[in-house]
Amino acid sequence: TVIENRRNGLPPITGRHVATYPEFEFRVPIYAGYYMNGFIDRVDLIEDGDALYCHIIDYKTNYIQDAQA
């Protein structure tokens, strides 16, 4: 399997596909009391020698959820 990151010019990742994880929500602390929240559509894990890479896939749907008061 070869994964190419064409947007930022990184070299391709060549390796063995290990796993695929479907859509999930995440929340990461970035500073005291502040968090980054979001959704990831799919994550593929690729093993290349001793390294393990996460290939994050975000499908664009142009969907905006209505805010609730």
Side-chain angles (χ1 to χ4, degrees):
T1 302
V2 175
I3 296 174
E4 295 181 47
N5 191 336
R6 296 178 184 173
R7 289 190 175 185
N8 60 15
L10 292 175
I13 298 169
T14 305
R16 182 178 68 87
H17 180 263
V18 176
T20 296
Y21 297 96
E23 180 181 297
F24 64 93
E25 185 175 2
F26 68 91
R27 179 179 171 124
V28 179
I30 56 173
Y31 188 70
Y34 293 93
Y35 298 87
M36 179 174 62
N37 302 314
F39 290 92
I40 294 175
D41 292 318
R42 192 177 99 202
V43 176
D44 290 340
L45 295 182
I46 307 296
E47 184 179 56
D48 189 4
D50 292 334
L52 186 63
Y53 295 94
C54 292
H55 184 221
I56 298 172
I57 296 111
D58 182 34
Y59 302 110
K60 299 298 179 200
T61 60
N62 294 325
Y63 172 75
I64 299 173
Q65 185 176 19
D66 291 333
Q68 297 179 3

